[in-house]
Amino acid sequence: MTGPTPLNSGEPSVLGSSGGAITLVEGSTFCLSDRVGDVEPGTAQGLFYRDARVVSRWELRVDGQRPEPLSVLSPEAFTARFIARRPPRAGAADSSLLVVRERLVADGLRETVSVENLGREPTAVTLELFADADFVDLFAVKEGREGHGRAEVMVTDSELLLNDRSDRSRGMAISASEPPTVLPGSLLWRVVVPAGGRWSTEILAQPTLANQRVSLPLRPGEHYEASEPGRKIEAWRDTATKLTTGDPLLTAVLQRTESDLGALQIHDDSHDGRTFVAAGAPWFMTLFGRDSLLTAWMALPLDVGLAIGTLQRLAELQGQRVDPLTEEEPGRIMHEIRRGPSGGLALGGETYYGTVDATPLFVMLLAEVCRWGAPADAVQALLPAADAALDWITHFGDRDGDGFVEYQRATDRGLINQGWKDSFDGINDVAGHLAEAPIALCEVQGYVYGALLARAELADEFGDAATATRMREHASQLRTKFSEAFWLPERGWYAVALDGSKRRIDALTSNVGHCLWSGIATDEQAAQIVQRLASPEMDSGFGLRTLASDMGAFNPMSYHNGSVWPHDTAITVAGLLRYRHIPGAVELATRLADGLLDAAAAFGGRLPELFCGFPRSRFAAPVPYPTSCSPQAWASAAPLLLVRSFLGLDPDAPRRTLTVLPHLPPRWGRVELTDLRLGGSVIDLAVDGDHITASNLPDDWRLITH
């Protein structure tokens, strides 16, 4: 490794963080706290707005003591109830004062603090909320670096005002419905609660940006279901497909998926409410090229509009010029956007382009949304962006003209590794030696293969036979070259990469599962890959490891070298079912999916970004990765890809066909998709074993089941 570790690569450090963190998220705003609801200073917790921490301390004290936590209820991703009690007084075994904090996140924070006296006589109680803000950029928090220190504090009769010392146009205003005593750094209430009585106050934390207070989309006393975030999630549910199964666990996981994806959506107010999805909380609450594209692909059974909005926004940000600082190049799809106080300086600018796979994935998704019934005019309007992306692949992605797409960062600020395994040590050989750039990843060649076939399909759709033929010929040539250059006949898998000397980086990784998903693998090679992926070195029992346990760099507690990523496993499952005719493929896919669902149960129904890759035989439950994002978009969407893959669900709206070739795991029982929208048609699909029904299927549609 040369130069400093990139700030959005690998695992972040968390200083003094306690376990059991609670993350609430709505759009690009999120709050990270402990299980009593406190944001502790000196940790990575806080309220984050526009990539900056606008609350770095938010601690409630009851009679000078920290409340004793009892439970946390989070019915939606943007709200939670923290249930606690006043610690028992000296000599007493129990407490009679219930403390409830109801928090809702939406461009700021609203918290209702209630105390209820369950005793037989009135009780006096002092409540004090300590608040501070350091206005630190998200990157700095992620790295555990020091910020500006405490805010500049101003006190009025009714508000506590916190201002950024380095940028006075940025701040935070904190007020309450029950008038507090406002002190420098805290709000104080002294109340007497009668026996059987209840007292409450509603607290607002309102960010200030450019000397203007952000208008919170929240009304006083409003229940979370009636709030703007609540209405937004209900509108999402009204238009999204309803998925139910005979397995209560899978149904609950799919319900959590729907809630989390709804909360992670970012609405583009300048384009009629167009939506795209943020990558995940806490560190990636912004548009990401790779993450947002793959999430949108997985979420197609729920909502095609999310994919269309993602493609449109990425097309607007597509590279136009050569800029080594941001790694922008003509036609390149960007990696991420950052809007914090540092303006993305850690990566050279607010929009950073250092990704090798988002560009072919863009073209793949465009053809896929066409198949799922996206409006033809919306697809056609994006064809120039798809062609620019393919031009980037040819003229910039293939750096040395060998027919493969490679990456090498342009400056020491960029990401060293620019595929999905983007930690500095994510690409290594059997012995554990790091690959030297420029690096050509195996899965990226598969994505390029998929992009070429996707563009051919789009050309067919719009009557361009010459382009369709040219793209298919290019794809066929690439498949042949890939097989020759990447296949390791003595090992039975593809090299994870070719390095700068065209040396095969020969570690066994989950990346080869992506080669099954894209279809670049030959049947003969896929058959051997299935055997290798089915080995205990790769299958942890809770999902597929990123790196086989007998490789030199294996570490089950690493970020990319032996951990389990749910989206990665789901993509491999989709790849296995693409090659369902190969012996053992369906069985392995079923085993991996069962493992993921069992992992989801252990995580309360929400799959995290990743977890440790210890074998299930050693630990009966998956071991959490300490700084894993949750909710995280492609982990949340992974169950949708599992459902689609086992259903063999493949619509082709332009040709009015719906293919369903199910291989459902026995535990799933009956699977139903209600209000599945394909173009202008709304279909109800039910699969129970081999029995398939498609209600409301228009007469001009054809159902293919074999």
Side-chain angles (χ1 to χ4, degrees):
M1 173 185 175
T2 58
T5 303
L7 298 185
N8 65 340
S9 171
E11 62 272 26
S13 60
V14 178
L15 302 179
S17 177
S18 59
I22 303 298
T23 303
L24 302 182
V25 56
E26 207 284 321
S28 58
T29 303
F30 69 94
C31 181
L32 191 66
S33 71
D34 65 17
R35 296 190 66 82
V36 80
D38 281 349
V39 169
E40 302 177 64
T43 72
Q45 298 168 358
L47 175 68
F48 294 80
Y49 174 73
R50 293 181 66 89
D51 290 338
R53 182 162 61 184
V54 294
V55 169
S56 57
R57 185 185 187 191
W58 190 267
E59 293 184 296
L60 181 68
R61 294 296 175 260
V62 181
D63 293 339
Q65 295 181 282
R66 172 184 164 89
E68 190 174 277
L70 299 176
S71 180
V72 183
L73 304 176
S74 181
E76 300 285 2
F78 57 85
T79 186
R81 299 176 73 196
F82 300 89
I83 304 171
R85 67 177 188 172
R86 178 171 59 189
R89 290 174 174 172
D94 290 317
S95 169
S96 61
L97 191 73
L98 179 69
V99 181
V100 179
R101 307 168 73 173
E102 299 185 52
R103 180 173 300 163
L104 194 151
V105 170
D107 288 342
L109 180 148
R110 187 191 76 193
E111 180 166 316
T112 301
V113 177
S114 304
V115 290
E116 185 175 350
N117 182 5
L118 305 177
R120 296 184 177 181
E121 59 180 332
T123 184
V125 59
T126 299
L127 298 167
E128 189 165 13
L129 178 70
F130 294 91
D132 201 356
D134 57 11
F135 303 101
V136 172
D137 188 274
L138 182 68
F139 278 134
V141 178
K142 182 181 174 184
E143 274 211 329
R145 291 186 280 123
E146 293 292 332
H148 310 312
R150 300 187 60 182
E152 179 182 77
V153 179
M154 296 178 61
V155 172
T156 73
D157 290 341
S158 59
E159 289 185 318
L160 176 64
L161 304 176
L162 307 173
N163 293 314
D164 187 348
R165 293 178 183 273
S166 64
D167 179 2
R168 295 179 184 274
S169 69
R170 184 187 295 269
M172 170 64 71
I174 302 170
S175 60
S177 60
E178 288 295 319
T181 300
V182 184
L183 304 171
S186 70
L187 306 180
L188 177 71
W189 299 266
R190 291 188 177 93
V191 298
V192 174
V193 186
R198 180 177 177 273
W199 176 93
S200 69
T201 186
E202 188 174 272
I203 304 164
L204 291 181
Q206 190 172 7
T208 301
L209 199 62
N211 293 314
Q212 298 293 320
R213 293 195 184 186
V214 175
S215 178
L216 300 189
L218 305 168
R219 292 191 293 267
E222 189 175 53
H223 190 264
Y224 78 85
E225 291 180 333
S227 69
E228 184 172 310
R231 295 193 302 273
K232 187 182 82 172
I233 199 75
E234 281 308 307
W236 156 252
R237 290 194 175 109
D238 286 344
T239 57
T241 306
K242 282 74 176 172
L243 287 86
T244 58
T245 76
D247 181 1
L249 171 60
L250 177 56
T251 298
V253 170
L254 290 169
Q255 289 172 347
R256 174 54 73 176
T257 288
E258 182 185 61
S259 174
D260 287 349
L261 290 180
L264 288 168
Q265 287 183 37
I266 299 174
H267 288 251
D268 187 348
D269 295 331
S270 63
H271 289 81
D272 299 322
R274 183 179 67 191
T275 58
F276 45 90
V277 67
W283 308 117
F284 308 117
M285 291 308 301
T286 186
L287 179 68
F288 268 66
R290 173 196 315 118
D291 299 53
S292 297
L293 286 164
L294 283 174
T295 299
W297 179 295
M298 294 177 182
L300 283 170
L302 272 188
D303 180 19
V304 177
L306 187 61
I308 297 171
T310 300
L311 288 166
Q312 289 171 337
R313 183 63 179 134
L314 289 173
E316 291 170 354
L317 296 166
Q318 191 170 25
Q320 301 295 321
R321 61 195 178 96
V322 174
D323 182 353
L325 194 60
T326 64
E327 303 204 44
E328 179 181 358
E329 292 166 341
R332 194 174 199 178
I333 299 299
M334 67 88 173
H335 177 59
E336 66 178 286
I337 295 176
R338 288 299 182 188
R339 300 179 300 180
S342 70
L345 292 178
L347 290 172
E350 285 192 1
T351 305
Y352 174 65
Y353 289 82
T355 174
V356 71
D357 47 15
T359 306
L361 287 169
F362 178 93
V363 184
M364 289 175 65
L365 181 60
L366 182 59
E368 196 70 6
V369 300
C370 183
R371 294 177 64 84
W372 280 77
D377 57 346
V379 174
Q380 193 164 20
L382 289 165
L383 285 180
D387 289 335
L390 291 170
D391 285 344
W392 177 85
I393 287 171
T394 301
H395 297 112
F396 293 94
D398 184 2
R399 294 166 170 265
D400 54 11
D402 67 344
F404 300 125
V405 172
E406 305 95 1
Y407 64 83
Q408 182 173 20
R409 65 180 183 175
T411 75
D412 59 0
R413 288 192 177 191
L415 291 172
I416 293 175
N417 283 316
Q418 298 188 353
W420 86 261
K421 293 179 180 176
D422 59 2
S423 52
F424 79 95
D425 60 350
I427 308 300
N428 47 74
D429 64 14
V430 164
H433 302 131
L434 300 184
E436 294 291 332
I439 296 170
L441 294 169
C442 67
E443 78 272 18
V444 171
Q445 316 318 312
Y447 300 161
V448 172
Y449 173 78
L452 292 168
L453 292 180
R455 186 62 184 92
E457 189 172 315
L458 291 167
D460 284 336
E461 178 62 25
F462 293 102
D464 186 355
T467 296
T469 299
R470 187 174 72 255
M471 291 294 162
R472 289 193 174 95
E473 289 175 350
H474 189 173
S476 178
Q477 294 166 5
L478 174 60
R479 195 181 197 214
T480 299
K481 287 176 60 70
F482 174 77
S483 178
E484 295 170 350
F486 281 79
W487 183 247
L488 303 168
E490 71 283 4
R491 298 190 181 277
W493 62 75
Y494 293 121
V496 64
L498 304 181
D499 71 3
S501 302
K502 305 304 174 185
R503 181 176 70 95
R504 294 171 176 173
I505 307 302
D506 56 357
L508 175 56
T509 66
S510 61
N511 302 55
V512 300
H514 295 232
C515 296
L516 300 179
W517 178 60
S518 67
I520 198 171
T522 67
D523 279 5
E524 180 183 1
Q525 292 167 351
Q528 295 186 59
I529 290 172
V530 169
Q531 295 178 26
R532 301 302 182 270
L533 295 181
S535 70
E537 288 76 25
M538 285 299 292
D539 182 2
S540 73
F542 288 115
L544 197 70
R545 294 190 180 97
T546 47
L547 181 69
S549 60
D550 55 352
M551 299 291 108
F554 174 73
N555 175 1
M557 300 182 293
S558 71
Y559 199 57
H560 284 134
N561 288 321
S563 55
V564 174
W565 288 63
H567 89 281
D568 183 41
T569 297
I571 287 174
T572 296
V573 167
L576 289 165
L577 291 168
R578 179 170 186 152
Y579 291 81
R580 62 176 68 89
H581 55 282
I582 290 178
V586 173
E587 291 77 10
L588 176 57
T590 301
R591 195 166 77 232
L592 291 174
D594 284 347
L596 267 191
L597 285 181
D598 291 344
F603 288 110
R606 173 189 281 163
L607 285 166
E609 176 188 18
L610 73 156
F611 49 87
C612 294
F614 292 105
R616 190 167 183 166
S617 58
R618 182 173 183 185
F619 299 113
V623 176
Y625 185 82
T627 54
S628 175
C629 289
S630 183
Q632 202 259 5
W634 59 16
S636 293
L640 294 171
L641 184 57
L642 295 180
V643 170
R644 175 187 172 181
S645 301
F646 281 106
L647 285 174
L649 181 60
D650 186 16
D652 190 343
R655 291 161 185 80
R656 314 297 278 178
T657 63
L658 176 61
T659 301
V660 184
L661 302 172
H663 291 81
L664 296 181
R667 68 188 275 184
W668 286 20
R670 179 182 175 89
V671 176
E672 296 184 9
L673 279 67
T674 305
D675 295 337
L676 174 64
R677 289 167 171 81
L678 299 174
S681 304
V682 181
I683 299 165
D684 296 339
L685 178 67
V687 179
D688 193 350
D690 294 328
H691 184 63
I692 302 167
T693 58
S695 305
N696 309 322
L697 190 68
D699 293 339
D700 60 339
W701 277 73
R702 185 163 57 100
L703 179 64
I704 301 173
T705 59
H706 59 274

